[in-house]
Amino acid sequence: MLNGSIILFGKTDLLEKNIKKIESEGFEVVRFDCREWDEEIFHKEVARKLNFPAYYGENLAAFSDCLSDLPINNTGILLVFTHFQSFLAKHPELAIAMLEVVHINSWRFLLEGKVVLSFIQSTDPEISLPAIGGMVPDWNGEEWFDKDRGI
């Protein structure tokens, strides 16, 4: 959490290794494949996988409200977004706004002693995300250098 709650991954083997490590610490892992996401699919999938209530309004304000009410029963929760570059390319404003909501809520949960982390996987080694909550999402330690991502 020192560098933010959002960590970037390119290589799926590194992603899976880190997911297993986090899982072994008692985190619940919720995975999302963003390849086909548009606004409707995004809202439907997060509502289903995060067990949002039936009255979920399918907008970013409702996403933030329901995310902030998530019951975190274990050590924490890890949200894994794979193929994020697809969602970002098709719906950049929504993709960034969604990350803002996740990040803001992760800090709020931290104040309550709960942990919400996000792993963002992209097949684009040059993916560029703006500052989210004042912090630019960073690459994981094994892909931090450009050369480690084949750039």
Side-chain angles (χ1 to χ4, degrees):
M1 298 292 284
L2 180 63
N3 295 319
S5 62
I6 300 169
I7 302 169
L8 295 171
F9 288 85
K11 299 173 185 166
T12 55
D13 59 330
L14 289 176
L15 175 69
E16 292 303 322
K17 178 178 90 171
N18 282 273
I19 290 171
K20 283 184 174 55
K21 184 177 178 182
I22 294 288
E23 221 167 16
S24 74
E25 296 290 330
F27 278 72
E28 175 186 356
V29 177
V30 182
R31 296 172 181 254
F32 302 95
D33 184 337
C34 305
R35 273 183 281 213
E36 302 300 322
W37 273 11
D38 60 15
E39 188 167 5
E40 181 181 353
I41 294 169
F42 157 70
H43 285 294
K44 298 243 183 267
E45 189 169 348
V46 296
R48 181 175 55 81
K49 288 192 174 183
L50 295 175
N51 298 312
F52 285 175
Y55 59 80
Y56 173 58
E58 296 189 5
N59 59 60
L60 286 172
F63 176 61
S64 184
D65 288 345
C66 290
L67 190 63
S68 72
D69 289 336
L70 269 183
I72 299 183
N73 303 318
N74 301 324
T75 306
I77 189 166
L78 171 64
L79 305 175
V80 180
F81 300 95
T82 59
H83 303 282
F84 192 77
Q85 76 286 343
S86 297
F87 185 42
L88 184 64
K90 291 185 269 187
H91 305 281
E93 296 87 13
L94 178 59
I96 298 304
M98 181 272 294
L99 290 179
E100 287 278 353
V101 168
V102 170
H103 181 74
I104 288 166
N105 277 285
S106 73
W107 284 111
R108 189 192 65 73
F109 275 118
L110 192 58
L111 293 172
E112 299 173 4
K114 300 174 182 178
V115 180
V116 175
L117 297 173
S118 299
F119 287 175
I120 305 298
Q121 184 273 331
S122 171
T123 58
D124 177 1
E126 297 185 72
I127 191 170
S128 178
L129 297 175
I132 307 291
M135 304 181 89
V136 177
D138 221 346
W139 287 93
N140 69 83
E142 294 180 65
E143 294 180 294
W144 192 81
F145 290 108
D146 287 349
K147 67 179 179 65
D148 297 329
R149 296 189 314 275
I151 299 174

